[in-house]
């Protein structure tokens, strides 16, 4: 059973940075598709940064130029570098992993890590 586990969340002030990590245990393949999503209270879940191919990721317009997704394929670990954080970035952040190497069906989700940005 694949289990993504997120870490790195916390409480920061506007303008500061955080780096989220997602370690996918139990994985026996290198998925092309994996990514970060977030959900704030009272809002729908939204995609933040996602690999939908082996190379180029896609970003939500609201985070372009501030967030960077990367991955260590050897370690099956996904990262999200978040710079210039804003209060509107506050949310629970989730990592999602596809169910097979060439699939983009994100079947495996972590429990989330909380990011709070406030002054």
């Amino acid at each position: 059973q694949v289990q993504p586990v997120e870490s790195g969340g916390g409480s920061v002030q506007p303008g500061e940075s955080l780096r989220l990590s997602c370690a996918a245990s139990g994985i026996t393949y290198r998925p092309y598709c994996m990514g970060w999503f977030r959900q704030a209270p009272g809002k729908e879940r939204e995609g933040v940064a996602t690999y939908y191919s082996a190379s180029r990721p896609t970003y939500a317009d609201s985070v372009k130029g501030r967030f960077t997704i990367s991955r260590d394929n050897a370690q099956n670990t996904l990262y999200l570098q978040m710079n210039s954080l804003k209060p509107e970035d506050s949310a629970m952040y989730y990592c999602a992993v596809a169910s097979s190497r060439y699939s983009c069906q994100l079947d495996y989700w972590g429990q989330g890590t909380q990011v709070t940005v406030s002054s």
Side-chain angles (χ1 to χ4, degrees):
Q1 178 73 14
V2 176
Q3 180 60 59
V5 178
E6 304 94 339
S7 62
S11 295
V12 297
Q13 295 188 340
E16 294 186 340
S17 299
L18 281 173
R19 188 188 194 213
L20 306 184
S21 299
C22 172
S25 64
I27 201 166
T28 59
Y29 53 92
R30 288 186 180 178
Y32 278 7
C33 295
M34 53 195 311
W36 290 98
F37 296 76
R38 67 186 180 187
Q39 188 167 20
K43 295 188 177 181
E44 293 187 355
R45 186 177 64 196
E46 63 172 343
V48 176
T50 309
Y51 284 104
Y52 286 115
S53 71
S55 55
R56 183 173 296 179
T58 59
Y59 293 93
D61 287 343
S62 58
V63 307
K64 283 181 180 177
R66 300 188 298 121
F67 290 13
T68 303
I69 189 174
S70 61
R71 60 184 171 186
D72 182 338
N73 288 326
Q75 300 294 326
N76 284 319
T77 303
L78 190 68
Y79 302 99
L80 185 67
Q81 178 66 42
M82 306 186 294
N83 298 329
S84 303
L85 282 161
K86 303 176 180 180
E88 50 264 42
D89 295 317
S90 297
M92 185 71 79
Y93 282 70
Y94 299 92
C95 170
V97 179
S99 54
S100 65
R101 178 175 173 85
Y102 298 109
S103 167
C104 275
Q105 186 167 336
L106 300 174
D107 284 335
Y108 298 113
W109 293 78
Q111 295 298 308
T113 185
Q114 180 68 41
V115 172
T116 302
V117 185
S118 70
S119 53

